[in-house]
Amino acid sequence: MCDRSSRYARSSRGIRRKWEPRVTNEPGTFLRQLRRRARLTQEQLAERSQVSVSTIRRLETGKSTDHRLRTLHLLAEALEADAEERHRLTAIFDGEQPGPVGRQEEPVQTAPLPLAPAEPATGALSDAAASLAREVGRRWQREERHRRVHDPFPLPVRYQPAPADLMDRPENIQRLRPGAVPRDLDLSGELRSVVGTYRSVESRRLVVLGRAGSGKSVLAIKFVLDLLAAPASSVPVPVPVIFSIGSWDPLTTTLRDILVNRLLRDHPHLAHRTTDGATLAGALVDADLILPVLDGFDELAEALRGPALEALNATSLPLVLTSRRDEYAQAVRQVHAPLVWAACIELTDLTVEDLAAYLPRTDRLSVSSGGRHGAGVWDAVLERLRVRDTPASVRLGQVLGTPLMVTLTRTMYGEAPGKDPSELFDTTRFPTERHLEEHLLAGFVPALYRHRAPEPVDAYGQVNRDAGQAERWLGYLAHSLTRGPYGRQDLAWWRLGESVRVSTRILHTVLLSGLCMAAATWLVELFGYAFLYTRELEPTTLLLQGALAALLSGLAFGLVHGALALSGRPAALPARVGLGFSATDRRVGRRPVRHALTRFAAGLLAGSVLGIGYSWADFLVRMLDDQFPDAESSSVVTSNMLVLGPTFGLTAGLAFGLLAAFEAPMDIAAAATPMRLLSVNRATAVRQLLVLVPAITLGCALGGYVVVRLLQQVLSWAVIWPLEWALLVGAVGGLGGATSYVLAFTAWGQWVTVARIWLPLTRRLPWDTVAFLEDAYRRGVLRQTGAVYQFRHIRLQRHLAQSYRGAGHGRTAAEDEGSRAGGSAPAGR
């Protein structure tokens, strides 16, 4: 980082090089000359400038018609261009005739980096940015209402400048030339002025600090909504998007990758591909049309904060970063630098006057009981807080200095009858601030789940739930998020199965695939006995055939699952694409060939293993039935494997290729909520099953015929392939194999079999898991961030997880694989 800073410093001083590029007004030629002078390849320039290789290539070849001023500035900085070269580079790319700059008076200060590019994006990227802006605005408006930010009015979140050692130098923040005098930065304000503060920072990089529960996430939401509140004819570009980075591992994932992956997760329609084969999500990030609002830097594991800050310092991307002060300061000391070019503000505590204006407005109980002019539930508490004559009142005033604790206190005492907040002054029960906070956290869930009259809800179930059971189930969910070395905050429905240890998941796959294959074998054989076979039905033989097919196919699918687990492959992810059967649906641009080959290879391997396993099952059944002489047994099993292995393999590979051919990105609302994404994935899984079953059935019949003909020509074997038997074998593979794949290897199938069956059977979750999650969201225990849930606050999540483990639930053999592997969650906030 120091080398990078010194390089920029040398560039700003305008040092002339011995070798000068040939004067030319051809944009690509001039840029290529600068790059060759610096002795850089396009890939090296891309790494230095954080501009994609494809963008550099288009600029040099003259194929870029939508370049941006900021992109040219990044390239000029990386190439160490002087002032005249910078002027010439930007002028000729804008189609202007560059004039002499040496005789002009050099400006003292560079122009502020614009929030939007000088020229608006056009075409597909412009449409994608506009639709993304609308969707982001709708989602956060809904979430702001759900969090009751305006009930009765927003708490006055204020901020002030952070200490100077936590932000860059003023001249760097303002992007001044050497010798220029920086102006005073006005970094004080409140919730409604945060956009103005951000726009006053020329570097467009801002760090927001505050203690736990001080309102950083609410400020981030307000920032996004206010920034998007532009006239209808002007869509803000770049589009502000909130990214929770608590689960980011900067050692294995770049900042660009996590931005693109989160966009694809929360906005599946961005999986559409541009003309150069990139997804819209990747194109938006590469074109600087996304303004990342990185929420939760402090929620990163301690060992990852330093590398994360270094990764952020390696880019000049405009961004907003939120964190607790101590964790951010520790990272700054670790890397010996704050976030470069970034201003830094710190949220201040609420005052007693703020509480006096807010809490009485929440006291609806005293009003409804005729107490509008009488003593309210908060009067005595506020009076003691104003006086602050005892350590207890000072301690409680400090605890109530954050919006989080005010919300918890309001929920426990202001919205429940018979609760007196004066008990919070009891120094025997609450000798420290920590005891007060734990008491408020412990009482939050029971207060929300207190019994009340049923309310009209949607199809997800009843509202009333037992508070003790709900707290235990929520504790399990919070505990499941602590698995692994760093833990995570996103509660994704497709990852609930990860709370079960790997050996149990493999056994689950074996049993599930075996059951599917046995059921398919029995159904198909019963059909054959009813309409095709001339021999009598023998129940023992039929049961044995199904059992052997179940055993061998279960082992095959179990081996595949084990191999995926050993390779570190993550859990099955929700589909980003659906199945579209019209040409319009499939018009998604060029899809990489590697994607299709990977699908084909996976299908080929799994199908071959399944075909060989079924060959042995059929052979063993016929041997037990004395259908083959001993002399013919080896040739029979060999021919069956040579036929069924390639047949099932090629059929499965081509079937999965067929699915890829009909894939189409989902619509913009597909991941509006977690349950919406679940519903879309259920429909996609059903459509996959409806395509795979007939495709594999017919493919086995036709593919087997081709394989048999080849064997007859090459090996001169007298192998027969009756059409009736081929269709029956194909039907077994289609029904059993496709069902096993959908239930065991898709996100929706794992959700059904693990989260809806296994976890309720072991009493870790309720049977109506969907209704429970939606109910917890409605009550305010959970919040929604795109396609995932999160607990209302990380402190609530960690309190529930600790309570669950303290009750003796968290060390069972079926759950806590992460702790046995040496992993641990970050320390409590």
Side-chain angles (χ1 to χ4, degrees):
M1 186 190 65
C2 296
D3 293 339
R4 181 183 181 91
S5 300
S6 62
R7 183 171 71 250
Y8 292 154
R10 292 194 302 271
S11 174
S12 62
R13 295 188 186 101
I15 299 177
R16 302 294 297 180
R17 313 317 190 264
K18 293 182 179 180
W19 184 88
E20 296 291 341
R22 180 173 58 87
V23 177
T24 177
N25 289 339
E26 186 68 26
T29 302
F30 185 68
L31 177 60
R32 186 162 52 251
Q33 289 175 352
L34 292 176
R35 178 175 60 80
R36 289 176 177 174
R37 182 192 66 187
R39 297 182 179 180
L40 296 175
T41 64
Q42 291 180 342
E43 290 75 14
Q44 291 171 332
L45 178 58
E47 183 178 358
R48 283 192 182 186
S49 64
Q50 300 298 313
V51 176
S52 66
V53 177
S54 60
T55 299
I56 296 174
R57 186 176 297 115
R58 288 196 302 269
L59 288 172
E60 291 190 355
T61 57
K63 295 180 180 180
S64 175
T65 59
D66 192 24
H67 55 271
R68 287 163 178 77
L69 185 61
R70 184 173 173 275
T71 300
L72 300 179
H73 285 169
L74 290 174
L75 293 173
E77 288 177 348
L79 294 169
E80 302 184 22
D82 60 23
E84 181 178 355
E85 292 165 349
R86 288 169 181 257
H87 173 76
R88 180 176 296 276
L89 183 67
T90 56
I92 61 179
F93 266 103
D94 286 338
E96 301 174 2
Q97 185 69 22
V101 298
R103 296 187 297 273
Q104 296 178 354
E105 182 179 357
E106 187 179 39
V108 176
Q109 178 177 339
T110 61
L113 293 175
L115 181 61
E119 295 182 4
T122 58
L125 282 187
S126 177
D127 295 339
S131 64
L132 178 63
R134 290 191 295 269
E135 182 64 18
V136 168
R138 284 194 296 265
R139 292 186 184 185
W140 287 115
Q141 285 174 356
R142 181 180 64 247
E143 191 64 21
E144 189 182 47
R145 291 192 300 269
H146 176 74
R147 299 186 189 188
R148 301 171 63 186
V149 173
H150 298 279
D151 182 17
F153 59 86
L155 279 164
V157 177
R158 304 183 186 89
Y159 54 86
Q160 62 187 13
D165 59 344
L166 296 182
M167 71 175 82
D168 205 346
R169 299 175 62 89
E171 52 268 35
N172 292 336
I173 297 173
Q174 300 173 37
R175 308 301 300 273
L176 300 179
R177 298 186 184 278
V181 179
R183 61 178 173 81
D184 292 334
L185 293 173
D186 183 11
L187 298 179
S188 298
E190 46 89 27
L191 200 61
R192 292 174 296 183
S193 61
V194 64
V195 169
T197 299
Y198 175 78
R199 284 174 170 162
S200 69
V201 178
E202 284 82 353
S203 64
R204 295 297 193 261
R205 289 161 73 91
L206 180 67
V207 178
V208 180
L209 303 179
R211 63 188 182 116
S214 58
K216 299 182 293 295
S217 297
V218 172
L219 182 139
I221 295 175
K222 181 66 174 175
F223 170 78
V224 168
L225 292 178
D226 286 355
L227 204 57
L228 290 172
S233 59
S234 176
V235 178
V237 177
V239 180
V241 181
I242 297 178
F243 299 90
S244 297
I245 60 171
S247 58
W248 176 32
D249 184 356
L251 300 178
T252 60
T253 308
T254 65
L255 177 63
R256 178 193 180 277
D257 287 344
I258 193 173
L259 297 182
V260 172
N261 291 338
R262 293 293 177 82
L263 286 173
L264 290 173
R265 184 196 71 182
D266 296 338
H267 306 277
H269 71 285
L270 295 180
H272 277 278
R273 295 187 178 271
T274 60
T275 55
D276 61 356
T279 62
L280 281 176
L284 287 172
V285 173
D286 291 339
D288 300 328
L289 297 182
I290 301 295
L291 171 60
V293 181
L294 307 177
D295 188 26
F297 178 85
D298 55 289
E299 293 161 11
L300 289 167
E302 181 177 353
L304 297 180
R305 294 182 197 128
L309 185 56
E310 289 180 332
L312 296 176
N313 282 343
T315 175
S316 60
L317 182 71
L319 57 85
V320 175
L321 179 71
T322 72
S323 175
R324 284 184 293 172
R325 173 174 170 173
D326 292 342
E327 284 75 3
Y328 179 74
Q330 182 183 19
V332 169
R333 291 191 296 269
Q334 181 179 346
V335 303
H336 306 291
L339 182 63
V340 296
W341 300 326
C344 189
I345 61 176
E346 185 173 12
L347 305 186
T348 61
D349 286 350
L350 300 172
T351 65
V352 177
E353 289 72 21
D354 297 331
L355 300 178
Y358 181 81
L359 289 176
R361 294 272 296 270
T362 68
D363 185 13
R364 274 91 179 209
L365 291 176
S366 61
V367 174
S368 62
S369 60
R372 180 181 297 274
H373 302 293
V377 68
W378 302 109
D379 290 355
V381 173
L382 292 172
E383 183 62 30
R384 294 188 62 176
L385 289 177
R386 288 191 184 95
V387 176
R388 293 208 171 200
D389 55 349
T390 63
S393 60
V394 175
R395 190 159 50 244
L396 181 59
Q398 183 69 15
V399 169
L400 296 181
T402 64
L404 172 64
M405 290 300 159
V406 172
T407 301
L408 299 182
T409 305
R410 166 190 173 175
T411 303
M412 282 187 63
Y413 296 100
E415 299 178 357
K419 300 283 288 185
D420 185 3
S422 297
E423 67 179 8
L424 298 175
F425 293 103
D426 188 345
T427 56
T428 303
R429 294 178 58 190
F430 315 116
T432 64
E433 294 177 11
R434 183 70 178 178
H435 287 84
L436 276 171
E437 292 173 349
E438 290 298 321
H439 167 71
L440 295 174
L441 289 168
F444 180 65
V445 172
L448 289 177
Y449 280 90
R450 65 184 182 275
H451 289 289
R452 54 188 176 184
E455 301 174 9
V457 295
D458 54 24
Y460 288 121
Q462 295 293 323
V463 171
N464 289 338
R465 293 185 184 273
D466 178 73
Q469 283 187 334
E471 189 168 12
R472 177 164 56 85
W473 293 329
L474 290 167
Y476 170 75
L477 293 174
H479 168 67
S480 69
L481 296 177
T482 64
R483 292 184 69 257
Y486 305 122
R488 63 183 190 273
Q489 190 179 1
D490 292 341
L491 180 59
W493 56 262
W494 60 90
R495 300 191 68 175
L496 289 180
E498 291 185 1
S499 58
V500 181
R501 64 182 185 177
V502 175
S503 59
T504 303
R505 296 205 300 270
I506 294 177
L507 178 61
H508 158 265
T509 299
V510 171
L511 296 176
L512 183 64
S513 57
L515 179 61
C516 292
M517 189 59 68
T521 301
W522 290 328
L523 287 174
V524 172
E525 286 296 313
L526 287 174
F527 178 85
Y529 278 109
F531 299 100
L532 300 176
Y533 299 158
T534 57
R535 62 183 184 272
E536 295 293 330
L537 172 64
E538 297 182 7
T540 304
T541 302
L542 180 62
L543 291 175
L544 180 60
Q545 187 174 3
L548 288 174
L551 175 63
L552 295 174
S553 62
L555 290 176
F557 278 98
L559 288 174
V560 172
H561 193 146
L564 292 175
L566 289 176
S567 65
R569 181 182 182 273
L573 299 176
R576 295 171 181 165
V577 292
L579 293 182
F581 297 100
S582 67
T584 303
D585 291 336
R586 300 193 304 274
R587 195 174 297 136
V588 297
R590 297 178 299 178
R591 185 173 298 277
V593 176
R594 185 170 56 182
H595 174 74
L597 292 178
T598 302
R599 291 284 192 91
F600 177 80
L604 179 65
L605 176 61
S608 299
V609 172
L610 184 61
I612 293 173
Y614 188 81
S615 300
W616 278 99
D618 181 74
F619 168 74
L620 292 175
V621 171
R622 295 177 185 272
M623 280 292 294
L624 294 174
D625 202 24
D626 293 328
Q627 295 186 22
F628 300 116
D630 293 339
E632 299 180 6
S633 59
S634 60
S635 62
V636 169
V637 71
T638 302
S639 62
N640 281 347
M641 286 192 299
L642 287 176
V643 172
L644 294 183
T647 299
F648 274 51
L650 291 173
T651 300
L654 292 175
F656 281 103
L658 181 65
L659 284 180
F662 283 101
E663 285 181 350
M666 296 178 182
D667 62 90
I668 192 171
T673 66
M675 292 302 105
R676 170 63 178 162
L677 182 61
L678 175 62
S679 176
V680 170
N681 271 258
R682 178 176 62 246
T684 300
V686 171
R687 299 180 84 178
Q688 286 178 338
L689 185 64
L690 294 177
V691 171
L692 285 174
V693 170
I696 293 177
T697 301
L698 296 176
C700 283
L702 299 178
Y705 177 79
V706 174
V707 172
V708 167
R709 294 288 294 179
L710 289 175
L711 289 176
Q712 290 174 344
Q713 295 293 329
V714 176
L715 301 178
S716 299
W717 283 10
V719 182
I720 61 173
W721 187 253
L723 180 60
E724 297 84 357
W725 188 78
L727 289 174
L728 292 178
V729 171
V732 171
L735 287 172
T739 306
S740 298
Y741 163 75
V742 168
L743 292 180
F745 292 100
T746 66
W748 176 80
Q750 292 181 0
W751 155 264
V752 170
T753 56
V754 178
R756 295 299 306 273
I757 298 177
W758 175 252
L759 293 178
L761 274 176
T762 54
R763 304 184 64 184
R764 298 186 185 107
L765 287 178
W767 287 101
D768 54 341
T769 309
V770 174
F772 173 70
L773 292 173
E774 282 295 285
D775 186 38
Y777 169 69
R778 279 193 295 267
R779 293 177 187 269
V781 182
L782 301 178
R783 64 189 184 191
Q784 289 181 2
T785 303
V788 299
Y789 293 106
Q790 291 179 348
F791 281 89
R792 185 185 185 103
H793 197 273
I794 189 65
R795 290 199 62 182
L796 178 63
Q797 172 187 324
R798 291 172 180 164
H799 171 82
L800 290 171
Q802 184 177 2
S803 299
Y804 182 81
R805 290 190 291 267
H809 301 295
R811 299 295 176 185
T812 60
E815 302 174 23
D816 205 8
E817 180 192 8
S819 64
R820 289 193 300 275
S824 60
R829 299 185 76 179

